[in-house]
């Protein structure tokens, strides 16, 4: 049946606090309301508000299956005749995610990928730029600059948060650096990026 269907790749991206997970949830809810077969996957690293769910900074969440790498995503989703595969925190899956989502879209699924396209030091964050290039549809979101309120395409670490940096090997610290929250990162516009 899936061979009769045309899959596609949709990308939702932007800096932290731009509402990427909210937009992903909106699409998942619409698909569920339509009675479609949906699978939501998030990276196992992201357990800021409990495992096996996609959470937003505003506190909403939906159930999700966790995966640690792209091979797990392929194993979970391939042959499931999915209508929609939603992948959150895509930046954590690395470059291998590209071939995985292309394979699954080729099998007929609509694959929606959400993730950061910039690092906290304002560099492109693979594999989102590559996925944007290969997608049928790209939704590029902006956050709100914490200084002036302008559209923000960046997020940066707040210096105060790292003033008394405990041991870098502390897994809690390592996780905070990757995941963050309002306590350690701020959205910044081009003018206020430091
Ligand atoms: Zn600004």
């Amino acid at each position: 049946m899936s061979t009769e269907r045309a899959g596609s790749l949709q990308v939702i991206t932007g800096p932290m606090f731009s509402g990427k997970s909210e937009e992903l949830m909106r699409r998942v809810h619409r698909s569920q309301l339509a009675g479609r077969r949906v699978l939501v996957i998030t990276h196992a690293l992201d357990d800021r508000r409990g495992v096996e769910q996609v959470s937003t900074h505003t506190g909403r969440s939906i159930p999700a299956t966790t995966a640690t790498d792209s091979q797990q995503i392929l194993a979970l989703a391939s042959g499931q005749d999915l209508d929609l595969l939603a992948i959150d925190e895509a930046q954590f899956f690395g470059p291998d995610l590209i071939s995985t989502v292309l394979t699954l879209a080729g099998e007929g699924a609509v694959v929606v990928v959400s993730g950061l396209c910039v690092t906290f030091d304002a560099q492109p964050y693979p594999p989102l730029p590559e996925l944007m290039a290969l997608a049928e549809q790209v939704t590029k979101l902006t956050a709100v600059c914490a200084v002036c309120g302008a559209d923000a395409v960046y997020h940066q670490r707040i210096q105060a948060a790292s003033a008394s940096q405990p041991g870098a090997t502390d897994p809690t610290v390592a996780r905070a650096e990757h995941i963050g929250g309002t306590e350690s990162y701020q959205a910044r516009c081009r003018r206020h990026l430091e």
Side-chain angles (χ1 to χ4, degrees), residues 144-152 187-193:
V144 175
C145 176
V147 178
C148 73
D151 287 346
R188 294 295 176 101
C189 73
R190 206 168 290 287
R191 209 153 59 92
H192 292 115
L193 182 73

Side-chain angles (χ1 to χ4, degrees), residues 8-12 23 27 131-132 134-139:
S8 67
L9 174 60
Q10 302 176 2
V11 172
I12 302 166
E23 175 60 21
R27 296 187 196 182
L131 291 170
M132 290 162 79
L134 298 168
E136 272 82 1
Q137 184 198 100
V138 176
T139 301

Side-chain angles (χ1 to χ4, degrees), residues 27-28 31-32 35-40 82-86:
R27 296 187 196 182
V28 167
S31 199
Q32 287 171 335
R36 304 270 153 76
R37 286 175 64 90
V38 180
L39 176 64
V40 183
L82 294 173
D83 295 299
L84 183 78
L85 171 64

Side-chain angles (χ1 to χ4, degrees), residues 54-189:
V54 169
S55 300
T56 70
H57 292 286
T58 55
R60 296 180 63 205
S61 67
I62 49 173
T65 303
T66 57
T68 55
D69 58 42
S70 295
Q71 283 305 310
Q72 281 188 9
I73 295 177
L74 204 54
L76 286 163
S78 191
Q80 297 300 305
D81 198 26
L82 294 173
D83 295 299
L84 183 78
L85 171 64
I87 304 172
D88 200 27
E89 303 289 6
Q91 72 278 0
F92 294 140
F93 289 102
D96 288 350
L97 186 63
I98 299 167
S99 61
T100 296
V101 299
L102 293 179
T103 297
L104 293 168
E107 288 182 5
V110 173
V111 183
V112 186
V113 171
S114 167
L116 296 172
C117 57
V118 287
T119 62
F120 68 80
D121 51 356
Q123 299 302 307
Y125 199 159
L128 269 299
E130 290 85 350
L131 291 170
M132 290 162 79
L134 298 168
E136 272 82 1
Q137 184 198 100
V138 176
T139 301
K140 177 71 155 55
L141 300 172
T142 56
V144 175
C145 176
V147 178
C148 73
D151 287 346
V153 295
Y154 302 113
H155 58 273
Q156 68 176 43
R157 295 178 65 175
I158 301 166
Q159 298 309 313
S162 57
S164 60
Q165 193 84 292
T169 53
D170 182 339
T172 314
V173 174
R175 185 167 290 120
E177 285 180 356
H178 285 290
I179 308 297
T182 49
E183 71 283 0
S184 49
Y185 294 89
Q186 279 184 350
R188 294 295 176 101
C189 73

